[in-house]
Amino acid sequence: MNNAKALDVVIVEDEPHLADLHREFIEQHFHLRVVGIAATLQQARDLIRVHQPRLVLLDNYLPDGQGVTLIDDPLLKRFECSVIFITAASDMQTCSHAMRSGAFDYLLKPVFFHRLRASLERFMLLVQTMRQMTNVDQHALDKLFNLPTSDVPAAPSTKGIETITLERVKHFFSAAPAASWSVEQVVESVGISKTTGRRYLEYCVEIGFIGVEMQYGNIGHPRRLYRKITQAE
């Protein structure tokens, strides 16, 4: 795969900080290239027409409709574009719709990066298998359509994680283990940039040091809050 051209990806996510996190994660860890970020269904369709991506990371709740409807769009079929559906919707109807429409995978928010990594690894393995297959038999088809998540390494990556900074972040949460903090509060207290802070926070989530809570208000998007996981949890 490394000698092949990077596969193009479009991210459909109307929360800019989540879109940036996904873009950074994808391009750091995979032979993938994010060619566009859309905040609406219309922007997504425009980007897909222009770039004809191989993969779309698709959020469901968008300002102009539900992302799940995009999976049925003939546009995706025309360009043989796979979809990893990422949403806060946990109802069976939405899940069933996404799977019947051909979604490659279904991830619930808040997304844990080890789970996103596993999904992307499976996608890359699928593409590689399809490229290498010239003739098919039952064994090859079984392998192609039943790629198990367990075959994918899910250990958290330490790329971009520096020990001293990590200890500062951990110390911040350990000093007030019962409190929940926004990314803005963490980066201001620790003294790091917001981009760096998000990377360290997601790593701490992956290793089980902190957890994510979604705070829903009356207006706007839910806020991601982080809190230290205690032994009782």
Side-chain angles (χ1 to χ4, degrees):
M1 287 291 287
N2 289 335
N3 294 327
K5 179 183 176 182
L7 301 175
D8 290 344
V9 180
V10 165
I11 296 173
V12 185
E13 170 59 70
D14 64 333
E15 296 187 58
H17 73 283
L18 287 181
D20 287 340
L21 275 175
H22 291 158
R23 177 191 54 76
E24 181 181 2
F25 181 77
I26 287 171
E27 294 187 335
Q28 279 189 352
H29 298 284
F30 298 92
H31 197 51
L32 299 168
R33 179 181 63 172
V34 177
V35 293
I37 295 176
T40 65
L41 284 172
Q42 186 57 55
Q43 290 176 8
R45 293 188 179 96
D46 292 342
L47 286 173
I48 292 168
R49 288 191 188 94
V50 171
H51 296 288
Q52 302 178 23
R54 188 64 181 80
L55 177 67
V56 171
L57 265 65
L58 178 63
D59 185 29
N60 191 38
Y61 296 118
L62 299 166
D64 56 345
Q66 292 196 352
V68 70
T69 61
L70 184 63
I71 307 177
D72 296 319
D73 198 306
L75 196 63
L76 273 70
K77 306 293 189 286
R78 187 193 316 166
F79 300 131
E80 299 182 356
C81 180
S82 298
V83 173
I84 294 178
F85 192 53
I86 302 177
T87 178
S90 58
D91 63 282
M92 182 52 67
Q93 184 176 359
T94 302
C95 177
S96 178
H97 184 172
M99 293 305 180
R100 286 199 316 270
S101 300
F104 177 78
D105 204 353
Y106 189 113
L107 278 63
L108 290 179
K109 290 184 175 181
V111 175
F112 294 102
F113 273 12
H114 74 273
R115 181 62 179 84
L116 177 59
R117 180 188 294 110
S119 185
L120 291 169
E121 288 282 4
R122 289 178 59 236
F123 171 73
M124 299 297 285
L125 183 57
L126 173 66
V127 172
Q128 184 178 30
T129 303
M130 293 177 66
R131 283 176 173 174
Q132 293 175 345
M133 287 171 55
T134 54
N135 298 300
V136 297
D137 54 24
Q138 189 62 57
H139 175 74
L141 288 172
D142 289 343
K143 181 180 179 182
L144 185 62
F145 289 100
N146 296 280
L147 298 173
T149 303
S150 58
D151 286 350
V152 179
S157 171
T158 57
K159 184 175 181 180
I161 301 299
E162 193 269 327
T163 303
I164 295 177
T165 303
L166 179 60
E167 289 305 314
R168 286 164 57 196
V169 172
K170 285 185 172 182
H171 177 75
F172 172 79
F173 283 96
S174 296
S180 298
W181 307 95
S182 67
V183 62
E184 291 81 8
Q185 291 171 314
V186 174
V187 299
E188 181 178 354
S189 298
V190 177
I192 53 180
S193 71
K194 187 174 289 188
T195 300
T196 299
R198 288 179 182 139
R199 182 167 66 248
Y200 279 83
L201 287 171
E202 294 304 326
Y203 177 79
C204 286
V205 170
E206 284 190 69
I207 63 176
F209 181 76
I210 60 176
V212 180
E213 303 170 352
M214 303 299 287
Q215 183 183 72
Y216 294 89
N218 295 326
I219 301 176
H221 295 295
R223 298 177 68 205
R224 287 167 71 93
L225 299 178
Y226 300 86
R227 181 171 61 87
K228 189 179 186 302
I229 294 177
T230 63
Q231 291 295 332
E233 297 175 286

